[in-house]
Amino acid sequence: ADQYNTTVDSNTVHIERGEVTRRSILSDEEEIAALQTWLDNQVETKNQIVGLSTFIVARTGIRKVFSGQSVLESAWDARNNRGVTNEEQDVSSDTACMLASTSKLFTWTALSMLLDAGKFGLDDPVENALGFQLRNPSFSGTSITYRHLYSHTTGLKDDYTRYKYGDQCPIDAPFSHSETLEQSMRKVTDKNTSWSNWRPGSRYLYSNYATAIGALLVEKHSGMTFPDFTKKYIFEPLQMTATQWTRPSDGSACELYTLFQNRGYKYKTSPGGYCFPDYPSGQLWSTSGDLAKFSIAMLKRGNLGYTTADGADCLYSEEIGDLVFQKSSPSTGDGDSGLGWFVGPPYYDGGAGHDGSEEGVSTGMLIFPYVII
């Protein structure tokens, strides 16, 4: 188990496999057992880790490894300033976790499906479909394009002031029954202060709200709500039965803890989680098993490997399946953004992926799209 390395910084857990010599090569079962031992040790010894849910996809199939707790017996309730007790629950194959920014992979996949359908071109102005003007007021003559969205070069800033917590969040809507995704977006995009002072396309600025604009474009092009589109065209075809944009209310959801070490409590939480208006950028809940199904489809360039009852055998064409892993704006911005995926070094050398971090949760997905499985 000492062949794995872990670091924790800024609430993000990084797991890497170290150098393995010929003498340390293990069988699949020994490898999984070693990983299990290592994960258990990390949970026991690292204050920043309460529980872990992981998956590995390889030629031998899907392997899921869990450790720690999804619900602790006691914690400090940060919203109501009091201690709370619960029945302790272990992380299991049924545990649903909030994916934070790893959720963006599903938002961009949905938009790329509509690119495949010929609904737009990468350099088309997005306002043609939005039905309202989306421009940086300092550069009103420059249109925001789909490529700008994918590559995080719109210059649109984020707004973290409208989070809701616990029972403030509806159980059957991602954020609000009375406020549409478009209304949520325009509350930010219509303000001059929401924009940076550089021309769209010229510089990189990671943007949650630009991702949510991508989800709004899914609604505009499809005529469906974003949750309905992703459920019908991504989750159901992939048989991702435990994946949704709202926190599960069936007891499968983990609580989101951060280190506290005060008032007799080691961890604090906001019971029931939280929600936010730009939910397509980070609010998807899922299990490791469901994420494994998605990763396999991505490795197969969107191919499902079977035909659904509706006759679908892919999410999008193989051409788009290749395009999503190609750098969409190599000479501007950060230079490593594909169509929603971050490609290659410095973070995904030899592969592609995305990570995520919100209060009490850290996530990540790494795939190697040019390795045959």
Side-chain angles (χ1 to χ4, degrees):
D2 60 354
Q3 64 200 27
Y4 297 94
N5 306 309
T6 183
T7 57
V8 182
D9 61 83
S10 301
N11 201 37
T12 301
V13 181
H14 305 274
I15 300 174
E16 298 178 348
R17 198 176 188 281
E19 292 288 336
V20 180
T21 66
R22 178 179 296 274
R23 288 191 302 173
S24 67
I25 292 176
L26 306 175
S27 69
D28 289 343
E29 294 304 323
E30 290 172 326
E31 188 83 26
I32 295 300
L35 177 59
Q36 181 70 70
T37 300
W38 179 83
L39 287 176
D40 290 343
N41 181 64
Q42 299 308 303
V43 171
E44 291 174 4
T45 60
K46 304 285 186 181
N47 285 331
Q48 298 97 323
I49 304 174
V50 173
L52 288 166
S53 178
T54 68
F55 72 91
I56 301 171
V57 172
R59 286 188 176 90
T60 52
I62 298 172
R63 299 299 185 98
K64 293 171 283 186
V65 186
F66 318 104
S67 188
Q69 284 73 52
S70 60
V71 179
L72 295 175
E73 183 177 17
S74 64
W76 182 256
D77 180 345
R79 299 302 301 171
N80 297 299
N81 292 317
R82 64 183 183 185
V84 291
T85 58
N86 293 286
E87 181 179 348
E88 187 175 87
Q89 297 180 27
D90 291 336
V91 178
S92 72
S93 59
D94 296 323
T95 300
C97 301
M98 195 177 83
L99 301 187
S101 284
T102 303
S103 307
K104 289 180 172 68
L105 293 176
F106 293 86
T107 300
W108 296 124
T109 295
L111 190 61
S112 295
M113 292 170 74
L114 293 165
L115 171 64
D116 189 47
K119 297 293 186 179
F120 61 88
L122 288 178
D123 296 308
D124 290 347
V126 297
E127 60 192 20
N128 291 351
L130 286 176
F132 62 88
Q133 190 175 72
L134 182 74
R135 300 204 178 192
N136 185 328
S138 298
F139 301 94
S140 58
T142 302
S143 297
I144 303 291
T145 69
Y146 292 83
R147 190 183 302 275
H148 295 155
L149 293 178
Y150 278 118
S151 61
H152 292 280
T153 57
T154 63
L156 181 59
K157 300 176 184 178
D158 285 324
D159 181 351
Y160 300 103
T161 63
R162 301 189 62 215
Y163 277 56
K164 296 179 181 179
Y165 294 86
D167 57 10
Q168 295 175 337
C169 301
I171 62 173
D172 56 353
F175 179 69
S176 171
H177 289 118
S178 60
E179 182 176 307
T180 66
L181 181 59
E182 178 175 341
Q183 289 169 333
S184 295
M185 293 302 97
R186 296 197 67 172
K187 285 184 178 181
V188 171
T189 61
D190 287 349
K191 296 189 297 185
N192 290 355
T193 54
S194 296
W195 295 91
S196 62
N197 60 356
W198 56 79
R199 187 178 301 278
S202 64
R203 292 176 61 180
Y204 173 83
L205 178 66
Y206 185 81
S207 176
N208 293 303
Y209 269 76
T211 305
I213 291 292
L216 179 57
L217 286 162
V218 171
E219 294 191 342
K220 296 293 186 176
H221 285 300
S222 69
M224 303 172 65
T225 67
F226 180 69
D228 284 348
F229 182 93
T230 50
K231 180 180 180 181
K232 181 174 181 178
Y233 292 111
I234 300 178
F235 306 153
E236 289 182 351
L238 289 175
Q239 300 172 21
M240 297 175 65
T241 57
T243 302
Q244 59 192 54
W245 293 101
T246 56
R247 185 179 188 273
S249 57
D250 60 0
S252 64
C254 65
E255 290 290 353
L256 308 177
Y257 298 99
T258 55
L259 192 63
F260 185 52
Q261 292 184 326
N262 199 354
R263 304 189 185 187
Y265 294 89
K266 187 174 183 179
Y267 297 100
K268 66 179 179 178
T269 186
S270 297
Y274 44 86
C275 57
F276 37 86
D278 54 315
Y279 70 89
S281 72
Q283 199 179 295
L284 192 64
W285 288 77
S286 190
T287 64
S288 56
D290 273 10
L291 290 181
K293 295 173 184 177
F294 175 74
S295 69
I296 290 173
M298 295 296 98
L299 288 168
K300 294 181 176 179
R301 305 303 189 270
N303 193 296
L304 301 179
Y306 51 83
T307 302
T308 69
D310 294 331
D313 60 6
C314 64
L315 298 180
Y316 40 49
S317 67
E318 186 174 348
E319 178 185 5
I320 294 297
D322 273 327
L323 186 63
V324 299
F325 298 122
Q326 297 176 23
K327 296 180 179 182
S328 59
S329 186
S331 61
T332 59
D334 69 338
D336 66 356
S337 297
L339 298 189
W341 294 83
F342 293 115
V343 182
Y347 305 113
Y348 300 99
D349 196 10
H354 209 295
D355 66 345
S357 181
E358 279 280 354
E359 183 180 356
V361 63
S362 176
T363 65
M365 180 183 291
L366 167 64
I367 68 173
F368 297 94
Y370 299 105
V371 175
I372 299 174
I373 64 168

